[in-house]
Amino acid sequence: MDERERERWRMGVGVVFQNAALLGSLSVFENVALPLRMHRKLDDSELKVLVEDLLSQVALDGAGGKMPQELSGGMRKRAGLARALAMNPKAILLDEPTSTLDPELEQEVVQVIKVLANEGRTMILVTHDMNLAYDISDHVVFLHEGRILEEGSPQTMFETPKSDRLRQFLKS
């Protein structure tokens, strides 16, 4: 794969990092607008409409003027998700999207993920939260030591695991 192909592939995947990876010196609006400014030619009015729509999609209406440090953990994760959505990716990789969140904030993030999934978005969710994996996944892959150990529907994986390692993991 040459450099151009790799860049095209990379642009097709939005990533939401575990810590949201927002730039603290930029407002929420500017964090979401950053990939748009870098990769698309939009005038200011188009950019404003698009960013406000993205913030609305992740239930952050009116938060564009805030700085990341003014947001709750759940709001930061949703802002990171809005930034990932900005490039209209073919797939979104979510790294532990609910880690470090209290139950109320966790539900805010999960609700947004469910809405996006129901819209038909392809998402790859990395999580240790088996309840989350069961509730929102249509396909589960269990990795152990960097290898796929087992995969299937959530019902099959969690109700009748085939491997001793997955059974052990589910008990812990």
Side-chain angles (χ1 to χ4, degrees):
M1 176 181 302
D2 70 16
E3 188 62 34
R4 186 185 293 157
E5 287 176 287
R6 191 174 11 264
E7 181 65 16
R8 238 188 341 267
W9 182 86
R10 191 180 69 74
M11 293 304 297
V13 178
V15 178
V16 181
F17 298 98
Q18 189 170 353
N19 67 357
L22 299 173
L23 300 171
S25 61
L26 299 179
S27 68
V28 171
F29 182 95
E30 288 300 326
N31 267 282
V32 175
L34 186 62
L36 295 168
R37 290 187 194 281
M38 292 173 58
H39 299 284
R40 292 182 56 188
K41 303 286 188 246
L42 300 171
D43 66 38
D44 287 344
S45 63
E46 290 174 309
L47 182 70
K48 184 178 189 307
V49 169
L50 187 51
V51 170
E52 287 176 355
D53 179 58
L54 289 164
L55 291 173
S56 180
Q57 286 182 49
V58 297
L60 285 176
D61 301 277
K66 294 186 178 197
M67 300 303 283
Q69 54 273 26
E70 297 177 277
L71 304 178
S72 70
M75 293 171 84
R76 281 193 296 274
K77 292 206 182 200
R78 287 183 282 141
L81 183 54
R83 186 180 55 204
L85 289 169
M87 295 306 294
N88 196 25
K90 292 178 183 166
I92 302 167
L93 172 62
L94 299 126
D95 182 17
E96 296 285 0
T98 59
S99 69
T100 73
L101 298 178
D102 64 42
E104 184 178 323
L105 296 176
E106 181 179 322
Q107 281 311 111
E108 291 175 1
V109 172
V110 168
Q111 193 57 37
V112 169
I113 293 169
K114 284 182 177 181
V115 167
L116 293 170
N118 289 336
E119 291 174 355
R121 295 222 180 239
T122 298
M123 291 183 278
I124 302 163
L125 178 69
V126 177
T127 186
H128 288 85
D129 182 339
M130 294 302 99
N131 291 325
L132 177 64
Y134 188 89
D135 289 343
I136 68 173
S137 299
D138 57 15
H139 189 82
V140 175
V141 177
F142 181 72
L143 299 173
H144 179 65
E145 297 179 347
R147 293 188 356 257
I148 296 174
L149 192 60
E150 199 168 330
E151 66 179 298
S153 73
Q155 294 75 20
T156 301
M157 296 282 293
F158 296 117
E159 294 169 14
T160 56
K162 295 176 185 135
S163 69
D164 290 337
R165 180 64 189 111
L166 179 54
R167 278 192 292 279
Q168 180 186 17
F169 183 81
L170 292 171
K171 287 180 185 177
S172 57

